[in-house]
Amino acid sequence: MKEVKIIDQTLRDGHQSLWATRMTTSMMFPVLNKINEAGYEAVDLMAMAHFDACIRYLREDPWERARIISKKLTVPTGGWMRSNNLIGFEAAPRDVVELFVEKLVENGFGRIAAFEGLLDIDNITDTLIQTKKLGASAVAAFVFCESPIHTDELYVNRVTELLTRTKVDAIMIKDAGGVLTPDRVRTLVPALKKAMGDIPLELHTHCTTGLGPLVYLEGVKYGADCIHTAVSPLANGCANPSIENLSRSLRDMNYKVNLNDRFIYEIGEHFQAVAEQEGFPVGLPMEYNAFHYKHQIPGGMLTNLFYQLEQAGLRNRFDEVLNEIALIREELAWPIMVTPFSQLVATQAVLNVVHGQRYNIVPDEVKKYVLGHYGKLIAPIDGNILDKIVENGSKMIPLKRKPLPDMLPQLRKQYPNATDEERLLRFMIKGSHVDEMKKAGPINTCYNLLKDPITKIIKTLTESKQFGYVQISNGSTKLKLG
């Protein structure tokens, strides 16, 4: 009986997809022992978006979070790196990227997945090589895209090229947009398995089109070794498929899933209670939407785009913007719709629609993309479109990207009393955010989950801005709050 391994995404992708990356360390801490007993192969914790959210919004030191969680977990803690940059669009200097990988491992990450939105192997090879040297598991994640040029042959060629340069512990198909279909899995998975030999193949998809569970079941049937899931309150919707559903289905298909269902249930119960207390949404099954395959905008970004257009009084042009995104994707050689390229394409689409003239205003990032500053493009761009972008874009952008000088000497001189971890945070997040994070003090790991209904009512009333105070009376006893 074949065993299917499970990577848990609850603490990383689950709340990134459904809770805008707002899960605090204290919300995670009460169930870490249960996660240890659940039987996961690994538990993914952070990607670059989590470093950003920890600092800007939660006022938590992401390195401290990593140390707290990884020391408590007995299974490998997973981290993600995007291409050769950290946060934002621009590539980071090589010495900064190398230091970041080193600090990930030092702070408890035993597994690092590196992915690249252009499938440019040059952008992830060094990270994977260094990860192996430092003794952590290296996972090469190839981002999936549905387009005329993203063929099975392309993915096989890129995987084969990577394996000639470095050893890895696993290959992953990363389907951030949820556009992988059961039909495509039936050809892509066997083709990759043939090229990979004995290296495990992981599948990572989302439920954006409602097909995520079927993709996993077909993927396992055709040779995938490991799938990425989340517990049900933080699964479905635009998040990953739920482990509760997948474990039942896989066992019904005579596969071994070595998980403890009791602990999975208790972990889900905890996060259901957190969602109710914090007013966070829980994931619900999505209906199939064929139009999603044209624009391929990831679910969380789709919600943000609608909100931003609504705020600008352009809600009625939402579908027009999505159609423009679909057209731009084709014109710009089918960029895979993951960060930063999904933001790049969506921004250009809004500008084209709002101003009525296509590519008259060109963001710097679009010009840099077409000139290859972010990596080699998979296919050429139409000459007329390329000329228009180059002409209307900033004249300050060179036609060829210049090599980046080392940055660490400057960072160490600029912040002489800081640790390398803090220097990296200040490099990534400009302004006063790191200072505000430090002022907040050490991370609090105690989460006060209100289980008593009366306590919940009192908390709701006292936090409401509708009332100046709340008075509770019982005979001669009176309690006034506020």
Side-chain angles (χ1 to χ4, degrees):
M1 182 182 292
K2 177 182 175 180
E3 181 179 355
V4 180
K5 304 287 188 179
I6 308 295
I7 305 290
D8 180 58
Q9 291 294 335
T10 306
L11 306 187
R12 189 195 73 81
D13 215 351
H15 72 99
Q16 181 177 343
S17 298
L18 295 173
W19 293 359
T21 327
R22 298 299 192 270
M23 185 187 290
T24 63
T25 304
S26 65
M27 295 174 190
M28 305 174 184
F29 199 78
V31 291
L32 295 182
N33 286 332
K34 291 181 171 64
I35 289 175
N36 286 334
E37 299 295 332
Y40 292 118
E41 181 75 2
V43 174
D44 274 0
L45 178 64
M46 299 176 77
M48 295 302 98
H50 302 76
F51 276 80
D52 186 55
C54 276
I55 297 167
R56 291 182 191 272
Y57 307 114
L58 304 179
R59 301 305 189 201
E60 292 189 356
D61 183 343
W63 298 113
E64 185 185 2
R65 170 182 287 194
R67 292 190 295 270
I68 289 171
I69 302 300
S70 62
K71 284 179 181 177
K72 192 76 173 175
L73 290 179
T74 57
V75 294
T77 304
W80 289 64
M81 288 194 65
R82 171 168 54 87
S83 189
N84 57 357
N85 50 21
L86 301 180
I87 289 176
F89 287 85
E90 303 301 327
R94 183 170 180 170
D95 61 340
V96 172
V97 175
E98 288 178 351
L99 179 63
F100 195 86
V101 176
E102 178 184 321
K103 292 303 174 183
L104 283 177
V105 176
E106 280 187 15
N107 283 274
F109 290 95
R111 163 191 162 97
I112 296 175
F115 70 98
E116 157 55 32
L118 290 174
L119 303 183
D120 185 346
I121 303 304
D122 291 340
N123 285 344
I124 61 172
T125 301
D126 288 346
T127 292
L128 294 167
I129 290 173
Q130 187 187 9
T131 299
K132 291 289 291 179
K133 285 182 178 178
L134 293 170
S137 294
V139 182
F142 289 82
V143 185
F144 180 76
C145 178
E146 183 60 47
S147 86
I149 64 174
H150 290 87
T151 61
D152 291 358
E153 182 182 8
L154 172 70
Y155 282 100
V156 168
N157 289 341
R158 295 301 162 94
V159 167
T160 302
E161 180 186 352
L162 177 84
L163 294 178
T164 64
R165 298 197 196 183
T166 182
K167 293 181 179 180
V168 295
D169 296 284
I171 297 289
M172 183 198 307
I173 302 174
K174 173 180 166 56
D175 177 28
V179 294
L180 193 55
T181 65
D183 284 344
R184 184 64 186 275
V185 157
R186 295 182 190 113
T187 61
L188 179 59
V189 167
L192 288 177
K193 287 294 291 182
K194 185 177 180 181
M196 291 163 50
D198 295 332
I199 299 172
L201 176 63
E202 300 180 5
L203 288 183
H204 177 105
T205 193
H206 288 246
C207 297
T208 317
T209 61
L211 296 180
L214 286 173
V215 165
Y216 278 167
L217 295 178
E218 285 299 292
V220 168
K221 190 187 300 183
Y222 281 82
D225 303 286
C226 178
I227 60 175
H228 293 214
T229 65
V231 295
S232 56
L234 286 153
N236 294 310
C238 58
N240 316 101
S242 77
I243 184 55
E244 294 92 335
N245 174 44
L246 264 300
S247 60
R248 284 193 300 268
S249 296
L250 287 167
R251 287 163 180 159
D252 285 344
M253 295 166 61
N254 292 320
Y255 291 101
K256 182 180 179 181
V257 181
N258 194 22
L259 294 181
N260 188 310
D261 293 342
R262 178 170 69 87
F263 288 113
I264 297 291
Y265 175 78
E266 290 176 0
I267 295 165
E269 270 197 324
H270 168 76
F271 286 116
Q272 179 70 39
V274 171
E276 292 172 2
Q277 180 161 303
E278 301 293 335
F280 290 155
V282 297
L284 299 173
M286 299 281 277
E287 293 184 352
Y288 179 78
N289 179 5
F291 182 49
H292 181 74
Y293 286 86
K294 291 187 176 181
H295 60 77
Q296 297 188 23
I297 292 286
M301 184 182 164
L302 202 61
T303 304
N304 290 335
L305 178 61
F306 181 83
Y307 175 76
Q308 289 164 4
L309 289 173
E310 186 175 46
Q311 293 295 103
L314 299 169
R315 176 179 177 177
N316 61 320
R317 307 193 76 176
F318 181 63
D319 286 343
E320 190 179 351
V321 170
L322 291 184
N323 278 299
E324 180 67 15
I325 288 172
L327 181 57
I328 290 173
R329 286 190 64 238
E330 182 175 356
E331 293 172 338
L332 299 190
W334 305 101
I336 298 177
M337 299 302 278
V338 293
T339 300
F341 305 115
S342 52
Q343 290 89 339
L344 175 155
V345 172
T347 300
Q348 185 67 69
V350 171
L351 291 171
N352 288 359
V353 167
V354 171
H355 293 280
Q357 292 182 304
R358 306 186 72 243
Y359 300 109
N360 237 33
I361 300 176
V362 177
D364 290 351
E365 292 79 15
V366 172
K367 183 171 180 178
K368 289 178 179 179
Y369 163 79
V370 301
L371 292 174
H373 284 223
Y374 302 133
K376 297 187 293 287
L377 303 188
I378 295 174
I381 293 173
D382 177 86
N384 293 328
I385 298 293
L386 179 61
D387 290 344
K388 196 168 186 179
I389 290 173
V390 172
E391 177 63 27
N392 292 336
S394 171
K395 300 301 184 287
M396 301 296 292
I397 298 172
L399 295 180
K400 288 189 177 181
R401 186 180 74 179
K402 298 177 182 178
L404 294 172
D406 285 349
M407 181 67 72
L408 282 183
Q410 179 183 329
L411 286 173
R412 285 168 175 157
K413 184 177 180 181
Q414 187 175 358
Y415 306 107
N417 299 318
T419 64
D420 277 341
E421 283 89 345
E422 182 182 330
R423 293 183 183 114
L424 288 168
L425 298 184
R426 292 188 181 278
F427 172 82
M428 293 189 291
I429 310 290
K430 309 305 180 187
S432 62
H433 294 290
V434 175
D435 293 324
E436 295 299 320
M437 176 203 79
K438 293 185 70 177
K439 286 180 186 177
I443 291 176
N444 176 24
T445 59
C446 180
Y447 185 71
N448 185 21
L449 192 59
L450 304 177
K451 298 181 179 180
D452 176 24
I454 300 300
T455 308
K456 290 182 180 180
I457 292 171
I458 292 174
K459 180 177 185 291
T460 302
L461 289 173
T462 54
E463 290 181 351
S464 174
K465 296 180 180 180
Q466 293 180 294
F467 309 104
Y469 66 91
V470 176
Q471 181 170 299
I472 302 171
S473 301
N474 183 12
S476 60
T477 304
K478 293 182 179 181
L479 175 64
K480 185 176 180 179
L481 304 171

